[in-house]
Amino acid sequence: MILGIGTDLANIDRIARTLDRFGDRFRNRVFTEVEQRKAERRADTPGTYAKRWAAKEACSKALGTGLRMGIAWKDMAVSNLSTGQPVMHLTGWAAERLEQMTPPGHEAIVHVTLTDDHPWAQAFVLIEARPVTE
């Protein structure tokens, strides 16, 4: 069953200007060390940050809260499997919210997809609950 859906569209040029203006202050407030290492290795650093920004926004919407109610930016983090597939990791209040949303006898799975076509980066997050089988 679907527990939540969220999407977000981020302007890559806006994220680039924010990075230029606030640098590490912005990076350290919003992105985990893993996300920063990934972005800094990429040729399109602002695009990589913009996709992760959009993913965090989309995830907060799928959780039904937006960025309020105690969710911190770093409570939602994107990494990639060896295949390149993005994966969303939740900690802190975001993980607590996910647990509250998940019906008894189910496990929650957070699906995320990212795309960009300059100047736009987009993310889509779907939270699914699957019955736990023993």
Side-chain angles (χ1 to χ4, degrees), residues 59-111:
C59 186
S60 70
K61 293 170 186 175
L63 290 168
T65 62
L67 284 161
R68 57 182 176 83
M69 296 177 61
I71 292 180
W73 288 102
K74 288 184 177 182
D75 285 349
M76 301 164 289
V78 178
S79 65
N80 296 84
L81 299 177
S82 60
T83 61
Q85 176 183 346
V87 179
M88 180 68 70
H89 304 277
L90 303 181
T91 58
W93 202 92
E96 290 174 24
R97 172 69 180 147
L98 181 62
E99 187 177 326
Q100 292 168 357
M101 294 171 60
T102 307
H106 289 74
E107 64 178 336
I109 296 133
V110 180
H111 302 276

Side-chain angles (χ1 to χ4, degrees), residues 20-37:
D20 288 343
R21 183 171 178 196
F22 297 105
D24 285 342
R25 189 169 134 216
F26 172 66
R27 275 188 286 274
N28 293 332
R29 189 180 122 228
V30 176
F31 302 101
T32 65
E33 289 180 24
V34 170
E35 290 172 312
Q36 289 181 48
R37 281 195 305 271

